[in-house]
Amino acid sequence: MGVIIISMHEFPRDFLWGAATSAYQVEGENTLSDWWEYELAGKLKYHSGPACKHYDLYEQDFDLAKKLNHNCHRLSIEWSRIEPEEGKFSPKELDHYKKVILALRKRGLKPIVTLHHFTNPVWFMRLGGWYFKKSPGYFLRYVAKVVEALSEDVQFWVTINEPMVYLYHSYLLGIWPPQEESLIKTQRAKDNLFRAHINAYRLIAGIYKKNNLGKPLISIAQNMQAFVACVPTLRNKLAAYLRAKLFNLEFIEKSIRARALDFIGVNYYSRSLVELRGWGVKNFAMDVCAGGHSNLRKNSLGWDIYPEGFYSVLVALRKYRLPVFILENGICTDDDSLRWVFIREHLGKLIEAMESGVEVLGYVYWSLIDNYEWDKGFSPRFGLIEVDYNNYKRTVRESAIKLARVCLEGKL
């Protein structure tokens, strides 16, 4: 798919525009998930509860997405709904997600379906989760059920969302379930996640071939940060380079070598200001600026707003000669005018990257609606659409209307 840019401010006619959600963050009452179990046990500060009631209100949300001129939507499937007990699959929930996909298609929105977005069934975690040697096989069995059910109406598949973020929070820092703090378990889980992706890629492609369906486009969603040396010492610059290799590129490069990537899914939010306080492995992997040296604007979680980094990570992908799909880019803020500035500036850098030779399929904003933001609860507001958690009323924000104009006209 070639990309033709007519002017500095225009996007291709077939460009995909949309926003994203993930099942656990919006559906509510995902009672058989590991996150739910940890919330009830008091191991997590915030309880997701009904979340945004998207499980019941998805048609309303998709109506709004259509009115905002979106032509695609990224969503995820909740594994714990599909396979509530080990080896037992729910026809009711498979039918529900079929209806969700058809609701998107009916409104002219291409579904981009994510199969793993951080959450796991309780039974899977009790067997050992992603540290367990047989975990890729269990994942594959679930993938087969979902893909067989939905393949006729889905072209884009994302096997795993942000594998490095999941590993970092769940197995290294111990913030997310299963709250491990082990380098060995992190490495084992990383190997298993990679095997799960490779095997899922081959399985999905095989199902489409067997059923005489058009070729699917399969990837991961890779969170990418701009790693910047706080003070440009040799040590800091080396650490920034190594982190970009490890966190941004390793999963992508291994997948390409295994011929298991049809496009590169990119999630981009911010930069990481690297400042080492020692020469140890942990220093090289984790040390960041502690001196408050950044004077950039920030989102409500304190992340730097750094559109220049968006350009740099995209240009770094050019050498792989694969199309790129922006699967998440967004800001949590109570200042909606800042949200629009964030979107406009990042779209400007996206156009620059495309003009420099990066082939981009589309742009998906995170997120369509406000949601449960994991261990941060409900206070971070990422949505193009505001959710009133007292009555679940949806209100379209002004930034969403401005973005809708870009989606319609294909230019900034």
Side-chain angles (χ1 to χ4, degrees):
M1 290 178 232
V3 173
I4 300 170
I5 305 294
I6 297 166
S7 79
M8 182 63 186
H9 300 291
E10 290 199 17
F11 292 88
R13 282 189 179 181
D14 60 353
F15 200 73
L16 292 170
W17 296 98
T21 55
S22 94
Y24 195 88
Q25 291 177 267
V26 295
E27 285 180 347
E29 310 299 336
N30 277 306
T31 59
L32 298 170
S33 164
D34 54 347
W35 271 80
W36 190 274
E37 183 178 60
Y38 273 61
E39 289 166 13
L40 291 189
K43 294 178 181 179
L44 293 163
K45 186 176 179 182
Y46 301 101
H47 186 36
S48 55
C52 310
K53 293 194 173 182
H54 177 76
Y55 187 89
D56 300 311
L57 301 177
Y58 65 89
E59 294 212 55
Q60 177 184 326
D61 292 334
F62 296 163
D63 282 342
L64 292 172
K66 183 182 179 183
K67 285 178 183 174
L68 292 171
N69 300 319
H70 296 183
N71 59 13
C72 73
H73 179 75
R74 183 179 170 213
L75 69 156
S76 76
I77 309 292
E78 179 61 32
W79 183 1
S80 66
R81 287 189 186 273
I82 299 297
E83 192 177 4
E85 297 177 55
E86 197 260 302
K88 294 183 180 178
F89 294 89
S90 169
K92 172 180 171 287
E93 295 296 351
L94 282 165
D95 185 58
H96 169 78
Y97 285 111
K98 180 77 171 176
K99 288 175 181 172
V100 170
I101 296 298
L102 291 175
L104 287 169
R105 291 292 302 270
K106 180 182 173 185
R107 290 161 177 80
L109 279 75
K110 281 194 175 186
I112 303 155
V113 179
T114 305
L115 291 159
H116 186 273
H117 198 123
F118 298 156
T119 56
N120 305 281
V122 168
W123 64 262
F124 175 79
M125 297 307 287
R126 287 179 182 163
L127 287 174
W130 287 103
Y131 176 68
F132 184 44
K133 184 179 178 182
K134 294 182 179 178
S135 55
Y138 287 112
F139 180 67
L140 212 62
R141 187 175 59 186
Y142 147 73
V143 170
K145 282 285 183 186
V146 173
V147 176
E148 286 283 10
L150 305 181
S151 54
E152 286 187 10
D153 297 294
V154 178
Q155 180 187 19
F156 289 96
W157 293 94
V158 177
T159 56
I160 297 164
N161 180 70
E162 298 185 349
M164 296 304 292
V165 171
Y166 174 71
L167 291 163
Y168 192 71
H169 285 84
S170 299
Y171 286 92
L172 193 61
L173 294 183
I175 297 170
W176 295 354
Q179 297 183 336
E180 299 280 0
E181 295 178 62
S182 165
L183 196 55
I184 292 170
K185 287 189 175 181
T186 302
Q187 186 59 50
R188 176 79 65 82
K190 183 168 85 168
D191 292 342
N192 286 334
L193 276 173
F194 179 68
R195 282 200 297 132
H197 163 66
I198 299 300
N199 293 341
Y201 178 96
R202 292 169 182 163
L203 175 73
I204 296 166
I207 289 171
Y208 276 68
K209 191 172 182 180
K210 177 190 75 176
N211 294 333
N212 294 313
L213 298 168
K215 188 181 184 304
L217 294 171
I218 311 160
S219 187
I220 58 168
Q222 179 68 27
N223 181 65
M224 301 189 77
Q225 293 184 69
F227 291 98
V228 179
C230 176
V231 179
T233 63
L234 178 62
R235 185 167 67 176
N236 287 346
K237 288 196 284 187
L238 178 60
Y241 170 78
L242 291 173
R243 282 185 210 179
K245 288 286 286 179
L246 175 65
F247 291 110
N248 288 355
L249 301 177
E250 183 188 23
F251 217 96
I252 289 168
E253 289 179 348
K254 286 173 73 175
S255 298
I256 290 171
R257 284 197 295 271
R259 297 188 174 183
L261 219 57
D262 297 320
F263 63 94
I264 300 173
V266 172
N267 296 357
Y268 177 84
Y269 290 91
S270 184
R271 72 174 182 176
S272 179
L273 209 51
V274 178
E275 186 173 33
L276 269 64
R277 292 179 285 282
W279 284 94
V281 172
K282 211 168 181 181
N283 299 108
F284 269 85
M286 299 174 73
D287 283 0
V288 293
C289 172
H293 294 141
S294 172
N295 57 2
L296 298 181
R297 297 160 299 164
K298 293 177 173 29
N299 71 11
S300 62
L301 288 172
W303 305 349
D304 284 347
I305 298 171
Y306 190 60
E308 294 80 5
F310 192 34
Y311 174 82
S312 67
V313 299
L314 291 174
V315 168
L317 299 175
R318 198 168 44 195
K319 61 185 178 184
Y320 301 118
R321 300 180 182 275
L322 279 176
V324 172
F325 201 155
I326 311 308
L327 295 177
E328 287 183 28
N329 175 242
I331 180 173
C332 56
T333 179
D334 295 324
D335 177 1
D336 191 52
S337 61
L338 179 60
R339 179 175 287 101
W340 170 243
V341 169
F342 177 98
I343 294 169
R344 188 184 66 215
E345 289 180 352
H346 283 76
L347 287 178
K349 292 298 177 183
L350 181 60
I351 284 178
E352 285 183 35
M354 293 167 78
E355 289 202 325
S356 79
V358 182
E359 182 184 351
V360 182
L361 301 176
Y363 175 87
V364 173
Y365 177 85
W366 180 271
S367 57
L368 179 64
I369 57 178
D370 291 334
N371 57 47
Y372 173 76
E373 195 52 44
W374 306 113
D375 59 298
K376 306 296 190 295
F378 288 98
S379 58
R381 299 281 186 154
F382 277 96
L384 291 172
I385 298 164
E386 178 188 350
V387 176
D388 184 335
Y389 292 110
N390 295 310
N391 56 20
Y392 300 97
K393 182 187 175 189
R394 274 65 165 154
T395 304
V396 175
R397 292 188 164 109
E398 185 63 29
S399 58
I401 295 168
K402 290 178 177 176
L403 178 58
R405 195 171 302 125
V406 178
C407 299
L408 179 67
E409 298 174 358
K411 60 185 179 181
L412 279 173

